[in-house]
Amino acid sequence: MVPELNRRDLNSAQDAFVLTGSTANAAYEVGVMKRLLNATWGRANNPPIDPYCFSGTSVGALNVAAMVANAELGFEEATRRLERIWLERIAVPAATSSTGVFRIRGDFTQYFDSNLASNPLKPFLDMGSDLLHFTRETLQRLAYASSTRGTFADRAAQISEFTQWIDYTPLKQLIRECIDTKKIAVASNPRKLRITAVNWQDGIPRTFDNIDLGSTDGHESIIAAMCLPGVFPPETVDGLPYVDSSVLFETPLKPAIQARNRESSLPVVLHVVYADSSFRDIPLPALSNTFATVYRLYQLALSRAVNSDIARTHTVNERIRVKNLFETVAAAGDPGKSREEVIRAKLGEEAVPFWDQLHHDLSDQVSLTIHRYTPKEHIFGFELMQFERSTIEKLIQHGYEAARDHNCDESRCIIPQENLPPL
């Protein structure tokens, strides 16, 4: 472990993680954090970071919640525990319809994949549960279709539903057993948590913080952030249905930015981990199918949202740079004149309203440094093989090596220009 004195702490920068998930590809995030938090990183051998905030959407919500829940143990132990969650709870020895996050109902082969020695009744319990579920769902949908008006096609569409084949009970058990939300909410926890889900009624994103996760619906908030529409049903939080925000959330960087210490003048540095479709192609399925299409749409929309938010950040950085130039000009003027008078004298009459507009628009803005980390290999759609232990191990190692060898030019990081051009 790197000595604590060598860590880049909150006295030198305000660092934060933004994790976007994307099913098993979120294991890549584990490797990135493992390197950034516990060893030197990048080709410049930067010291380990000490983030003020962990912000996540989709499966990234699981990763950030686990990190903040174990923050008191130190980053080395927290990342070790998160890695164990992925390797021992989520991963499976070989591709199967039952994973540590969900299982496909009705696949009889999975009933006999369980460890019969530890629980010989489990295959029969799962089989009975699936039979009861299908019977209840079918009767409810048949009753609804027969009581509504419409064409035969309309009624047939109401009977079919893909989500009834997905059982995400393993995910709920995982969250409840592995993440202590009370530790996240405790006042002494120095790490801020931000998890975003979308209200499925009005489409408005909601960001949950440390205090929110200390409530009775704390685990449900994490689960809701992972409920991909069309795959998992919405999760109820505070009496309202919520789903994965990745498709409808246009500003995924915003929660981490808003969580910064506004009284500090230290630079804000975001470490954004996501599958970037503009950097590497997200593979098309061999055969087109509805589910693969929906999932690909989700991945592309998420990538586009992150890239758009990063582009906005670059624009804000440039405007702040111009604003700082105006302030430099004003500071170098006659002390007896107002700032507006100095700017008018040196830059012209038209510069004053431009300066006023910048001052108004950027009053709550801050320059950001953004480091991008995006997997260059092992990117999957929703193939079940991605949950094999060997694949999870490769993704974690891939993230670790990506952070170790991180190069800002190759990764197209956003670095504010601190040195102003000569006047």
Side-chain angles (χ1 to χ4, degrees), residues 142 145 381 422:
L142 284 172

Side-chain angles (χ1 to χ4, degrees), residues 33 80 86 91 143 153 155 216 256 263 266 306 314 329-330 394 409:
M33 289 193 293
R80 183 183 294 113
W86 277 92
R155 297 183 182 186
T216 55
E263 297 179 358
L266 294 175
V306 175
H314 178 65
V329 170
K394 288 179 182 178
D409 289 335

Side-chain angles (χ1 to χ4, degrees), residues 162 284-297 382-383:
F162 177 82
L284 287 165
L287 292 175
S288 178
N289 62 81
T290 301
F291 182 75
T293 299
V294 170
Y295 187 72
R296 180 174 175 80
L297 174 63
F382 205 72
E383 300 91 340

Side-chain angles (χ1 to χ4, degrees), residues 157-196:
Q158 292 166 353
I159 294 175
S160 61
E161 174 55 48
F162 177 82
T163 59
Q164 67 177 312
W165 293 89
I166 305 294
D167 177 16
Y168 68 120
T169 301
L171 171 62
K172 293 186 173 183
Q173 293 176 340
L174 171 70
I175 298 298
R176 293 186 180 280
E177 293 173 7
C178 296
I179 298 178
D180 187 344
T181 55
K182 299 300 181 184
K183 289 184 178 180
I184 294 175
V186 67
S188 59
N189 194 327
R191 312 300 164 188
K192 295 180 180 179
L193 177 71
R194 298 294 184 267
I195 289 176
T196 304

Side-chain angles (χ1 to χ4, degrees), residues 18-181:
V18 177
L19 309 183
T20 59
S22 189
T23 62
N25 292 303
Y28 173 86
E29 300 171 348
V30 180
V32 172
M33 289 193 293
K34 185 178 178 181
R35 183 73 193 196
L36 293 180
L37 294 169
N38 301 305
T40 57
W41 58 278
R43 296 183 184 176
N45 288 322
N46 302 297
I49 69 172
D50 192 5
Y52 67 90
C53 178
F54 290 80
S55 177
T57 58
S58 191
V59 189
L62 183 154
N63 287 341
V64 297
M67 290 300 298
V68 177
N70 293 308
E72 63 178 10
L73 302 176
F75 291 134
E76 186 174 24
E77 179 61 21
T79 51
R80 183 183 294 113
R81 292 193 177 196
L82 177 58
E83 187 172 11
R84 284 207 303 267
I85 289 175
W86 277 92
L87 295 177
E88 298 174 9
R89 292 295 302 266
I90 296 177
V92 291
T96 174
S97 58
S98 178
T99 74
V101 177
F102 66 91
R103 68 184 186 89
I104 308 297
R105 291 187 173 100
D107 180 359
F108 287 93
T109 62
Q110 67 173 289
Y111 300 138
F112 304 101
D113 287 339
S114 305
N115 188 342
L116 297 180
S118 62
N119 189 355
L121 294 178
K122 188 176 188 303
F124 304 99
L125 293 174
D126 287 345
M127 193 181 306
S129 174
D130 288 350
L131 181 61
L132 178 62
H133 175 82
F134 283 128
T135 301
R136 183 177 62 248
E137 282 287 318
T138 301
L139 291 176
Q140 287 179 345
R141 292 182 179 278
L142 284 172
Y144 182 79
S146 62
S147 64
T148 57
R149 296 180 179 180
T151 66
F152 174 80
D154 292 331
R155 297 183 182 186
Q158 292 166 353
I159 294 175
S160 61
E161 174 55 48
F162 177 82
T163 59
Q164 67 177 312
W165 293 89
I166 305 294
D167 177 16
Y168 68 120
T169 301
L171 171 62
K172 293 186 173 183
Q173 293 176 340
L174 171 70
I175 298 298
R176 293 186 180 280
E177 293 173 7
C178 296
I179 298 178
D180 187 344
T181 55

Side-chain angles (χ1 to χ4, degrees), residues 183-237:
K183 289 184 178 180
I184 294 175
V186 67
S188 59
N189 194 327
R191 312 300 164 188
K192 295 180 180 179
L193 177 71
R194 298 294 184 267
I195 289 176
T196 304
V198 161
N199 184 322
W200 198 227
Q201 289 185 344
D202 57 22
I204 297 177
R206 174 182 173 183
T207 298
F208 300 91
D209 60 19
N210 298 60
I211 302 301
D212 292 326
L213 265 72
S215 69
T216 55
D217 287 347
H219 291 106
E220 284 75 8
S221 301
I222 303 171
I223 297 168
M226 300 171 65
C227 289
L228 180 64
V231 181
F232 298 141
E235 183 70 12
T236 301
V237 182

